[in-house]
């Protein structure tokens, strides 16, 4: 039964209809055969029984009328009357001879021939007497003529009439026997037709139950999976091995679950990255579609809104830490971000004042004005201590310079030293910070190289280093490595995509991009594979359309598909040659054959023509329904049954078009949900439409997730950093997504608040601990 399970729904239904059509064909064949036999027996009855009886009746009637006219001739008073009766006697004699000749052509070689010979013999006796009576009457010898009529002529006439009666009795008995035989044949045909009608009813009921179960079981599995997805559990397993529409539906459900799961995985990834301090990490919204894409974009925008000001603050602190004092921040921020901006601007003013004094001291040192000192009273807190320290340590420069020289020497040899932890003041502290920054940059470069190597070993070919984390030539190095990976992995991804599409039956166009070396060989191999599959698919399609002249090229002994197509053509050609005649076609159930009315005449040609019209009326709607179901089986829902139908054919048309409309609506809605389109609608088939109920539940839960993501994004842009979504409103993995976004915000905003506090303290000269 596996072959029947894998049939498309349309094919299953058509199989049922074809089975019924086969039964109807058998019944029709029995009826046609019985009708043909009845027609043949009717013709035999007419030709062999009725016509001969009519001939005998004509003989008997003409014979009796001839005897009457003989009497009239004998008693005629005038020559005119005698001539009239003589002419009538002649005509009746000719009529008897004509009917006798016709009867002789139709009679058999047995009893009828013998009885006909007796009739001819008796007539041979009577005719001379009849002529003698006529001669006597015409000669006026009435008494002699009358004596002959009531004497010898009468005896001969009675013998001839007896011979005629024997022939009539024999033909009547033969007709009765033929009628009894026909009655028995008709009874047998009725019984056989009734037997096949009962078998057809049982077959229809059985196929209906089997087809119903094969459709409803996969749908029940889809409903259960949808309920799990609606509850937030995307770990669903669906059997999409079937190639019918239920398999297509389960595959669409799997894609929907995969899309939701991908959204959850990106949410978890962002949450983890935020907690690890990887603030530049973003989810790839291009991997999602529709409202799912909007959710990911919203989360990315939320992070940008939060991390953007944080990056500005970090950049300003970094520049200040490197002695690059930036201008004041003039951009507008909301809420807590504005407070950070004000603190940074205050810090910039303080640092600028410190730098100004440092420059003055440097200039003085260059000019040899070693007694020059900065006014520490113009500064506050630790900035004041810095100036005082510079004033105190102008002569103490040798130690820090030696440390710097050693570190630069080790870095140049690839020996990355640990960060400098000694305390320095002023320019020496800047040198220390610059060296530490250099150490961090080299370590970051080494770390990214190790990360890329590990990812490549693990097969994570999409992994790239973030070049934005590096500067100058280090950034160019990382960008170069990323570009190298793109050049290698791009062709591999194209090859993987093509192999995946071919495995799913989606034959892609040939690759036209230019590659070099082994990548070009991979491209050529894939293009050759596509060409072979396209040729074989074209051949299969032509065979399916009845074109058995197609030539199949078997490339090698292992080319099983091509050899199979050759075998199919051979079988179909043999079948085509075998089923040539109407009788053989009817026995095999191929009802496309028709009778040939030109071989018949009169009403019999009309009967055959009527049978042909009946078969046309039966098969045309079935053929149209089969064509549409065959398109549905191939996943093509663009057409439905449009041909005009009546009676049971209209019911079949309504059933096929109902399946077409239901599948079209269902697939469109599920595809929209899988693409993230939450505006999609689906019609409710009935009050018991469970599929409608769980689809609405999925849509509502995903829409709630989209709404919360948009709310968090808007709150972040407005600087409302304490805003969080209510995860309790969601279930399962949907709840985990919302919790992950909340945790992401907590992980980002916590360090941001610490940064704001530290900048505020630094701006006031209160240098906090690390």
């Amino acid at each position: 039964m596996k072959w029947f399970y894998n049939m498309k729904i349309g094919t299953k239904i058509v199989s049922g209809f074809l089975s019924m059509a086969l039964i109807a064909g058998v019944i029709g064949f029995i009826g046609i055969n019985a009708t043909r036999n009845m027609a043949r027996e009717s013709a035999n009855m007419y030709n062999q029984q009725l016509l001969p009886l009519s001939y005998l009746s004509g003989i008997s009637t003409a014979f009796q009328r001839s005897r009457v006219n003989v009497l009239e001739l004998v008693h005629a008073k005038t020559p005119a009357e005698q001539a009239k009766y003589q002419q009538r006697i002649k005509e009746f004699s000719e009529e008897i001879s004509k009917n006798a000749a016709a009867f002789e052509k139709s009679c058999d070689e047995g009893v009828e021939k013998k009885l006909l010979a007796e009739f001819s013999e008796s007539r041979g006796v009577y005719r001379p007497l009849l002529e003698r009576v006529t001669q006597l009457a015409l000669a006026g010898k009435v008494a002699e003529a009358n004596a002959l009529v009531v004497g010898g002529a009468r005896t001969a006439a009675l013998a001839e009439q007896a011979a005629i009666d024997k022939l009539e009795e024999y033909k009547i008995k033969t007709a009765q026997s033929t009628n009894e035989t026909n009655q028995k044949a008709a009874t047998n045909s009725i019984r056989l037709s009734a037997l096949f009608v009962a078998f057809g009813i049982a077959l229809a009921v059985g196929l209906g139950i089997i087809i119903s179960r094969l459709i409803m079981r996969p749908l029940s599995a889809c409903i259960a999976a949808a309920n799990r997805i609606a509850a937030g559990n995307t770990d669903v397993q669906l059997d999409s091995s079937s190639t019918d529409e239920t398999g297509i539906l389960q595959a669409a459900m799997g894609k929907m679950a995969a899309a939701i799961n991908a959204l959850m995985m990106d949410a978890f990834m962002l949450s983890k990255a935020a907690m690890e301090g990887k603030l530049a990490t973003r989810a790839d919204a291009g991997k999602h579609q529709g409202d799912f894409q909007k959710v990911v974009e919203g989360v990315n925008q939320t992070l940008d809104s939060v991390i953007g000001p944080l990056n500005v603050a970090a950049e300003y602190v970094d520049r200040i830490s490197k002695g690059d004092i930036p201008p004041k921040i003039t951009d507008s921020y909301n809420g807590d971000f504005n407070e950070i901006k004000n603190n940074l601007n205050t810090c910039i003013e303080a640092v600028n004042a410190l730098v100004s004094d440092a420059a003055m001291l440097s200039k003085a040192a260059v000019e040899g004005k070693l007694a020059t000192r900065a006014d520490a009273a113009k500064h506050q807190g630790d900035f004041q201590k810095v100036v005082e320290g510079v004033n105190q340590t102008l002569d103490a420069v040798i130690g820090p310079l030696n440390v710097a020289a050693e570190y630069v020497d080790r870095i140049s040899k690839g020996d990355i030293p640990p960060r400098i932890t000694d305390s320095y003041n002023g320019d020496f502290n800047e040198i220390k910070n610059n060296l530490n920054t250099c150490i961090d940059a080299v370590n970051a470069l080494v770390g990214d190289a190790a990360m890329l190597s590990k990812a490549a070993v693990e097969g994570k070919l999409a992994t790239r280093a973030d070049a934005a984390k590096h500067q100058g030539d280090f950034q160019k190095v990382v960008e170069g490595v990323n570009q190298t990976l793109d050049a290698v992995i791009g062709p591999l991804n194209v090859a993987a995509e093509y192999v995946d599409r071919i495995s799913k039956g989606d034959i892609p166009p040939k690759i036209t991009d230019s590659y070099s070396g082994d990548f070009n060989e991979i491209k050529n191999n894939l293009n050759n594979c596509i060409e072979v599959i396209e040729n074989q698919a074209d051949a299969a399609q032509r065979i399916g359309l009845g074109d058995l002249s197609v030539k199949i090229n078997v490339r090698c002994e292992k080319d099983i598909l091509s050899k199979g197509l050759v075998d199919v053509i051979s079988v179909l050609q043999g079948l085509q040659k075998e089923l040539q005649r109407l009788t053989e076609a009817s026995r095999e159930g191929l009802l496309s054959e028709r009778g040939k009315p030109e071989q018949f005449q009169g009403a019999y040609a009309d009967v055959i023509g009527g049978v042909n019209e009946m078969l046309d009326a039966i098969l045309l709607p079935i053929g149209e329904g089969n064509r549409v179901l065959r398109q549905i089986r191939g996943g093509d829902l663009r057409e439905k049954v449009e041909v005009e139908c009546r009676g049971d054919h209209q019911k079949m048309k309504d059933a096929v078009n109902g399946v077409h409309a239901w599948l079209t609506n269902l697939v469109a809605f599920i595809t929209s949900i899988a693409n993230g389109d939450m505006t999609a609608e689906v019609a409710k088939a009935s009050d018991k439409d469970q599929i409608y109920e769980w689809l609405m539940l999925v849509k509502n839960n995903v829409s709630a997730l989209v709404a919360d993501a948009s709310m968090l994004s808007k709150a972040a842009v407005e600087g409302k950093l304490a805003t969080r979504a209510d995860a309790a409103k969601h279930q399962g993995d949907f709840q985990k997504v919302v919790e992950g976004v909340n945790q992401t915000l907590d992980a980002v905003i916590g360090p941001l608040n610490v940064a704001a506090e530290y900048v505020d303290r630094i701006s006031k000269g209160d240098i906090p601990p690390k």
Side-chain angles (χ1 to χ4, degrees):
M1 291 292 291
K2 186 174 181 181
W3 58 270
F4 190 74
Y5 169 77
N6 285 326
M7 280 186 181
K8 298 292 185 181
I9 293 177
T11 305
K12 293 185 180 78
I13 296 175
V14 169
S15 298
F17 280 116
L18 287 179
S19 298
M20 297 306 300
L22 179 60
I23 298 300
V26 173
I27 296 173
F29 173 76
I30 294 172
I32 291 171
N33 193 56
T35 302
R36 182 182 296 160
N37 291 335
M38 291 177 64
R40 183 176 60 252
E41 293 302 324
S42 176
N44 290 336
M45 175 73 78
Y46 177 77
N47 292 321
Q48 302 297 326
Q49 309 297 333
L50 294 181
L51 281 179
L53 280 173
S54 69
Y55 298 148
L56 293 175
S57 176
I59 291 172
S60 179
T61 301
F63 177 71
Q64 292 300 331
R65 294 181 68 181
S66 175
R67 292 184 64 193
V68 170
N69 278 272
V70 167
L71 292 175
E72 294 292 339
L73 175 63
V74 171
H75 297 288
K77 302 298 184 182
T78 64
E81 289 181 348
Q82 288 178 342
K84 180 181 71 173
Y85 293 128
Q86 183 183 11
Q87 180 62 32
R88 288 182 178 178
I89 292 171
K90 180 180 179 182
E91 291 175 353
F92 290 139
S93 178
E94 290 175 352
E95 184 174 350
I96 291 172
S97 298
K98 178 181 177 182
N99 285 328
F103 180 81
E104 184 177 7
K105 292 180 180 179
S106 66
C107 67
D108 56 33
E109 294 295 331
V111 177
E112 290 184 4
K113 282 287 187 181
K114 180 179 180 182
L115 293 177
L116 182 61
E118 293 178 1
F119 166 73
S120 298
E121 182 180 353
S122 63
R123 190 180 181 205
V125 173
Y126 177 68
R127 288 186 66 181
L129 295 175
L130 179 61
E131 293 177 355
R132 178 61 180 163
V133 170
T134 301
Q135 292 173 356
L136 292 173
L138 292 175
K141 299 177 180 180
V142 176
E144 292 181 17
N146 191 49
L148 184 58
V149 167
V150 298
R154 180 175 180 276
T155 301
L158 291 176
E160 183 175 347
Q161 183 63 52
I164 294 172
D165 292 342
K166 287 181 180 180
L167 281 171
E168 288 182 337
E169 290 174 0
Y170 178 77
K171 295 305 292 185
I172 290 172
K173 290 180 180 180
T174 303
Q176 290 176 343
S177 176
T178 302
N179 180 61
E180 291 174 357
T181 301
N182 291 344
Q183 289 293 332
K184 291 179 180 180
T187 301
N188 291 336
S189 296
I190 292 171
R191 290 175 179 174
L192 186 59
S193 297
L195 176 62
F196 275 98
V197 168
F199 175 72
I201 293 173
L203 178 64
V205 172
L207 287 176
I209 294 173
I210 293 173
I211 293 173
S212 175
R213 289 180 177 177
L214 290 178
I215 294 174
M216 292 309 301
R217 286 178 180 174
L219 289 181
S220 299
C222 287
I223 292 173
N227 287 330
R228 295 184 66 185
I229 294 173
N233 183 2
T234 59
D235 184 16
V236 297
Q237 299 294 327
L238 291 170
D239 180 13
S240 60
S241 61
S242 175
T243 57
D244 66 0
E245 288 79 2
T246 60
I248 296 173
L249 176 60
Q250 293 188 83
M253 288 289 298
K255 290 181 180 178
M256 180 176 69
I260 296 174
N261 188 60
L263 178 65
M264 295 174 184
M265 293 302 294
D266 275 350
F268 298 153
M269 179 271 292
L270 289 174
S271 175
K272 180 180 178 182
M275 288 187 288
E276 292 175 353
K278 299 176 182 178
L279 304 182
T281 301
R282 296 292 183 272
D284 184 3
K287 295 191 301 183
H288 305 274
Q289 296 178 343
D291 285 341
F292 291 165
Q293 189 178 59
K294 293 178 182 178
V295 170
V296 177
E297 289 174 345
V299 174
N300 286 342
Q301 291 169 0
T302 300
L303 292 174
D304 292 339
S305 299
V306 172
I307 295 169
L310 179 61
N311 286 336
V312 172
E315 177 190 356
Y316 269 54
V317 171
D318 180 65
R319 291 179 64 182
I320 292 171
S321 71
K322 297 175 181 177
D324 178 16
I325 310 303
K328 288 186 178 181
I329 303 172
T330 59
D331 296 335
S332 298
Y333 296 114
N334 298 319
D336 297 336
F337 295 132
N338 193 57
E339 183 178 352
I340 294 174
K341 180 190 77 173
N342 294 334
N343 292 338
L344 279 172
N345 285 341
T346 302
C347 179
I348 290 169
E349 290 177 355
V351 173
N352 279 331
L354 180 63
V355 170
S356 178
D357 275 352
M360 178 271 295
L361 289 173
S362 176
K363 181 180 179 182
V366 171
E367 294 175 350
K369 300 176 182 179
L370 300 181
T372 302
R373 295 293 183 269
D375 184 3
K378 294 192 300 180
H379 304 277
Q380 297 179 350
D382 287 339
F383 287 166
Q384 186 179 63
K385 294 177 182 179
V386 168
V387 175
E388 290 174 348
V390 172
N391 289 338
Q392 294 169 2
T393 60
L394 285 174
D395 294 331
V397 296
I398 303 302
L401 290 178
N402 287 337
V403 172
E406 177 192 358
Y407 268 57
V408 170
D409 179 68
R410 291 179 64 182
I411 291 172
S412 69
K413 297 176 180 178
D415 178 18
I416 311 304
R419 291 172 60 90
I420 302 172
T421 57
D422 295 337
S423 298
Y424 298 105
N425 297 317
D427 292 337
F428 294 116
N429 191 60
E430 185 175 355
I431 293 172
K432 180 194 76 172
N433 291 336
N434 289 339
L435 281 172
N436 284 341
T437 300
C438 179
I439 291 169
D440 292 340
V442 173
N443 281 330
L445 181 63
V446 173
D448 275 350
M451 178 272 293
L452 288 173
S453 175
K454 181 180 178 183
V457 171
E458 294 175 350
K460 301 176 181 178
L461 302 182
T463 303
R464 297 292 183 273
D466 184 3
K469 295 192 300 182
H470 305 275
Q471 296 177 347
D473 289 337
F474 288 166
Q475 188 179 59
K476 294 179 180 179
V477 169
V478 175
E479 289 174 345
V481 173
N482 286 342
Q483 292 169 359
T484 300
L485 290 174
D486 291 339
V488 172
I489 294 167
L492 291 180
N493 287 335
V494 170
E497 177 194 357
Y498 268 54
V499 171
D500 179 67
R501 289 179 65 181
I502 291 172
S503 70
K504 297 175 179 177
D506 177 19
I507 309 305
K510 289 186 178 181
I511 303 172
T512 57
D513 296 335
S514 297
Y515 299 118
S516 302
D518 293 337
F519 293 127
N520 191 59
E521 183 176 354
I522 293 173
K523 179 191 79 173
N524 293 334
N525 290 338
L526 280 173
N527 286 341
N528 290 335
C529 178
I530 291 169
E531 181 179 356
V532 170
I533 293 175
E534 286 177 341
N535 290 338
Q536 291 175 338
D538 178 69
Q541 184 178 17
R542 289 176 62 187
I543 293 170
L545 295 174
D547 182 5
L548 302 183
S549 63
V550 61
K551 301 298 182 181
I552 306 299
N553 181 21
V554 179
R555 297 174 178 268
C556 62
E557 284 298 319
K558 296 184 179 180
D559 192 354
I560 299 174
L561 179 57
S562 296
K563 292 171 67 178
L565 289 174
V566 171
D567 292 340
V568 168
I569 293 173
S570 177
V571 171
L572 291 177
Q573 288 175 337
L575 185 62
Q576 183 185 33
K577 293 177 182 178
E578 182 68 18
L579 306 177
Q580 296 297 321
R581 299 180 61 83
L582 177 61
T583 302
E584 290 301 320
S586 299
R587 291 174 182 173
E588 294 297 332
L590 298 178
L591 302 181
S592 61
E593 293 290 337
R594 297 291 182 272
K596 298 179 179 179
E598 64 271 16
Q599 296 181 357
F600 302 88
Q601 296 179 353
Y604 305 123
D606 295 337
V607 169
I608 299 301
V611 171
N612 288 344
E613 293 174 0
M614 177 187 68
L615 291 175
D616 290 339
I618 292 173
L619 294 179
L620 179 59
I622 293 177
E624 182 65 9
N626 185 30
R627 182 185 68 81
V628 173
L629 288 172
R630 190 162 54 243
Q631 290 183 345
I632 294 176
R633 177 186 64 192
D636 183 2
L637 300 177
R638 293 175 297 177
E639 294 185 24
K640 58 182 180 180
V641 179
E642 299 291 351
V643 69
E644 183 177 354
C645 302
R646 297 179 182 178
D648 291 337
H649 291 312
Q650 181 64 36
K651 295 179 182 178
M652 180 196 72
K653 172 183 175 182
D654 293 341
V656 173
N657 286 346
V659 172
H660 174 277
W662 178 72
L663 285 174
T664 300
N665 192 17
L666 186 61
V667 172
F669 183 78
I670 292 178
T671 302
S672 298
I673 294 294
N675 291 334
D677 181 10
M678 294 297 108
T679 63
E681 296 292 339
V682 64
K684 188 174 184 180
S686 66
D687 293 336
K688 298 181 180 180
D689 191 351
Q690 296 182 356
I691 296 177
Y692 172 86
E693 299 295 338
W694 60 251
L695 284 176
M696 289 298 101
L697 184 59
V698 171
K699 176 182 176 181
N700 293 337
N701 287 346
V702 175
S703 295
L705 181 65
V706 173
D708 273 353
S710 299
M711 178 272 292
L712 290 174
S713 176
K714 181 180 179 183
V717 172
E718 292 175 354
K720 300 176 182 178
L721 304 182
T723 301
R724 297 293 183 271
D726 184 4
K729 294 192 300 182
H730 305 275
Q731 296 179 343
D733 288 337
F734 291 161
Q735 188 179 60
K736 295 178 182 178
V737 170
V738 176
E739 290 173 347
V741 173
N742 288 341
Q743 293 169 359
T744 300
L745 292 173
D746 292 338
V748 171
I749 294 169
L752 180 61
N753 289 333
V754 173
E757 175 191 355
Y758 270 56
V759 170
D760 179 67
R761 291 177 63 183
I762 291 171
S763 69
K764 296 176 181 177
D766 178 18
I767 308 302
K770 288 188 176 179

